[in-house]
Amino acid sequence: MTSAPKKLFIKTYGCQMNVYDSERMAEAMGGEGYVQTDRAEDADMVLLNTCHIREKAAEKLYSDLGRLKALKLDNPNLKIGVTGCVAQAEGDEIIRRMPVVDLVVGPQSYHRLPAMERAVQAGGRVVDTDFPEEDKFDILAARSKAKRGPTAFLTVQEGCDKFCAFCVVPYTRGSEVSRPADRIVTEARGLVEAGVRDITLLGQNVNAYHGAEGGLAGLVGQLAAIDGLDRIRYTTSHPNDMDDALIAAHGNEPKLMPYLHLPVQSGSDKILKAMNRKHTAEQYLRLIERIRAARPDILLTSDFIVGFPGETDADFDATMALVEAVGYGAAYSFKYSARPGTPAAERAEVDAEVMDARLQTLQALITRQQRERQDAMVGQTTTVLFEKPGRNPGQWGGKSEHLHAVHAMSDEDLRGQIRKVRVTATAPNSLTAELIG
Ligand code: 5AD
Ligand code: SF4
């Protein structure tokens, strides 16, 4: 008699790389006989794949662990693991503070999860926050061949050597490492065979990728040669790593989508310097001009931090002016959050109410720009990769080339199809369109 498979519940916080890592962890645990469940109550093991980027994100781990304590009382065999960037930053402390946790493993060593699971089943509590010599991707189980949806993430680069003064990433994810291009191409081929048509290449500093001749542009070229892979995107980029070849690729490579997330964080030169960003607002604006010269319709997005230590009203006004000058299709803005171990954490903080007010002002401008960009799409034709049925009968949802969420009506099963559409209307966060091809 074979026993029922053990069940694994993974909760993913934070960025897209965590989404990718969670998939790989689930595949690794598949080799240990685990199948995934979407209910923590049914699980034999729960993994919390955490984010450390801002204090609020990190705190979520502790409130979730509080809730899991009750589950463990009902099911003493339940094993609980903490993975991701909080695991890396607070490894031993988590084990010390939280008796409910059985294992802690950082983002660079989760290929060791199967061995750790066995140690835990034998009654141990284990922590692994190494930055190992070996490459986890070489050791992890081969990717599942199971049929999957039409979009996927693919990590090509990890870590960061930039040391922006506010950021924990260089500490939690380590220094910059690029995966070899041949492995990435093999993985991409496998994804395409499983039904993927749109791949987003991931890296904390993805355009610093140096695992292929010609850098990220070279890798994009190799991937574009894969039949059946129709759309390529990449995120997140640093302005100082936008080289000529990559800018040119936005003009020359039809599979490279007209969408670019290029965080600038602030529009004030004084603050950019204090952040250790190593470029000015003017240099960023000139860069945007060159990217738009290569691909005029490109949709640009950014991240902003308001209330960085030392930010005055005039500095904030400079950020507003930069946003006005660029015209973003969307952007994320955050209140500065002091992170332990980062240089900026030592500096005097801006008043909380001032931060709140600035965040609201900036978000109102960004929302207006997002609406303007969407409104400008009405009447235009574009293509949409449809992913799944919408909420209403006959409705399908997918993404445009510019990564707008799009809905269209059709009696056909549009899943996985790329279809020509005309945009007919906009809503706050999506477009409505009709099929025209
Ligand atoms: N406080 C607020 N926002 C931060 N980010 C990174 N670190 C911090 C911090 N300490 C933001 C940046 C980055 C995005 C991923 O998160 O804008 O681009
Ligand atoms: Fe963090 Fe990005 Fe700066 Fe690297 S470039 S330190 S990941 S904000």
Side-chain angles (χ1 to χ4, degrees):
M1 204 177 82
T2 53
S3 57
K6 287 178 283 185
K7 293 200 174 126
L8 174 68
F9 173 81
I10 306 187
K11 178 165 175 180
T12 307
Y13 311 64
C15 67
Q16 293 131 323
M17 196 174 290
N18 268 9
V19 175
Y20 176 84
D21 287 339
S22 290
E23 272 182 29
R24 301 293 309 246
M25 287 180 209
E27 288 168 359
M29 295 302 280
E32 301 299 296
Y34 280 85
V35 296
Q36 262 184 290
T37 170
D38 49 16
R39 284 168 45 91
E41 298 76 27
D42 298 342
D44 300 288
M45 172 167 270
V46 170
L47 293 178
L48 302 174
N49 194 12
T50 58
C51 171
H52 199 241
I53 198 88
R54 284 170 291 276
E55 193 179 359
K56 245 200 206 148
E59 277 170 356
K60 278 190 203 140
L61 165 66
Y62 292 100
S63 54
D64 278 354
L65 283 176
R67 250 170 298 184
L68 286 172
K69 217 164 152 182
L71 277 189
K72 204 158 177 164
L73 284 177
D74 290 344
N75 173 12
N77 292 327
L78 174 65
K79 303 298 178 200
I80 295 176
V82 178
T83 66
C85 292
V86 183
Q88 188 62 43
E90 299 179 3
D92 292 321
E93 200 191 328
I94 296 171
I95 284 281
R96 229 179 304 120
R97 262 179 65 186
M98 304 308 256
V100 72
V101 174
D102 300 287
L103 77 86
V104 176
V105 61
Q108 298 313 341
S109 42
Y110 66 75
H111 55 295
R112 297 174 178 163
L113 255 178
M116 295 176 80
E117 192 266 348
R118 291 191 286 271
V120 161
Q121 293 299 350
R125 294 179 80 214
V126 281
V127 182
D128 188 338
T129 51
D130 277 1
F131 285 107
E133 285 288 310
E134 74 269 17
D135 177 356
K136 64 174 178 275
F137 296 118
D138 284 347
I139 293 158
L140 281 165
R143 302 232 48 191
S144 160
K145 292 195 165 32
K147 198 86 192 139
R148 47 184 298 156
T151 65
F153 297 128
L154 204 180
T155 292
V156 304
Q157 179 279 337
E158 281 188 90
C160 181
D161 294 337
K162 298 277 193 297
F163 291 93
C164 296
F166 49 82
C167 186
V168 289
V169 164
Y171 312 98
T172 55
R173 290 272 174 175
S175 55
E176 255 176 57
V177 180
S178 296
R179 294 179 66 191
D182 58 337
R183 317 267 166 85
I184 295 165
V185 170
T186 303
E187 188 170 333
R189 283 213 182 92
L191 289 169
V192 169
E193 277 162 26
V196 171
R197 303 185 68 176
D198 177 330
I199 292 182
T200 301
L201 307 176
L202 300 181
Q204 269 91 27
N205 228 300
V206 72
N207 58 340
Y209 178 80
H210 57 265
E213 204 173 313
L216 187 62
L219 179 66
V220 166
Q222 290 189 38
L223 293 169
I226 299 176
D227 278 340
L229 177 58
D230 300 292
R231 294 175 158 196
I232 302 168
R233 310 172 190 275
Y234 60 91
T235 197
T236 287
S237 298
H238 192 289
N240 289 356
D241 291 317
M242 279 312 292
D243 63 22
D244 293 348
L246 191 55
I247 295 172
H250 279 284
N252 307 334
E253 179 44 69
K255 290 186 178 181
L256 189 56
M257 290 293 102
Y259 175 95
L260 178 61
H261 184 58
L262 196 61
V264 64
Q265 313 295 353
S266 169
S268 151
D269 286 344
K270 183 191 93 191
I271 295 297
L272 287 169
K273 193 162 198 311
M275 287 176 162
N276 193 31
R277 294 288 295 180
K278 298 201 172 79
H279 63 77
T280 63
E282 187 59 27
Q283 284 166 334
Y284 180 81
L285 292 171
R286 294 290 82 80
L287 174 61
I288 298 287
E289 271 174 14
R290 290 174 55 219
I291 296 165
R292 282 191 166 139
R295 182 74 202 227
D297 70 328
I298 199 162
L299 187 146
L300 292 161
T301 69
S302 177
D303 294 335
F304 293 94
I305 295 177
V306 300
F308 186 78
E311 187 187 73
T312 61
D313 285 342
D315 294 319
F316 178 67
D317 290 346
T319 297
M320 294 290 285
L322 179 139
V323 175
E324 287 283 8
V326 173
Y328 287 102
Y332 304 91
S333 44
F334 311 101
K335 283 187 280 185
Y336 170 72
S337 165
R339 307 306 292 127
T342 60
E346 310 295 321
R347 303 177 197 165
E349 287 196 29
V350 169
D351 190 70
E353 280 161 30
V354 172
M355 273 203 231
D356 282 334
R358 286 180 189 164
L359 186 69
Q360 275 193 23
T361 307
L362 177 58
Q363 286 185 340
L365 174 58
I366 290 167
T367 303
R368 197 192 80 209
Q369 290 193 342
Q370 183 178 333
R371 287 303 289 268
E372 283 170 0
R373 175 73 194 219
Q374 286 185 200
D375 290 349
M377 293 301 294
V378 176
Q380 305 244 349
T381 59
T382 182
T383 64
V384 173
L385 171 55
F386 286 97
E387 290 165 40
K388 52 182 185 237
R391 252 182 249 143
N392 306 323
Q395 192 186 45
W396 289 89
K399 295 279 163 42
S400 73
E401 295 162 21
H402 299 95
L403 209 60
H404 283 125
V406 180
H407 298 289
M409 301 298 288
S410 174
D411 298 335
E412 286 174 67
D413 184 337
L414 295 184
R415 207 178 326 227
Q417 291 192 31
I418 294 180
R419 299 288 288 264
K420 207 164 173 193
V421 304
R422 181 181 297 110
V423 178
T424 53
T426 68
N429 288 307
S430 64
L431 303 174
T432 307
E434 57 190 8
L435 295 186
I436 54 170

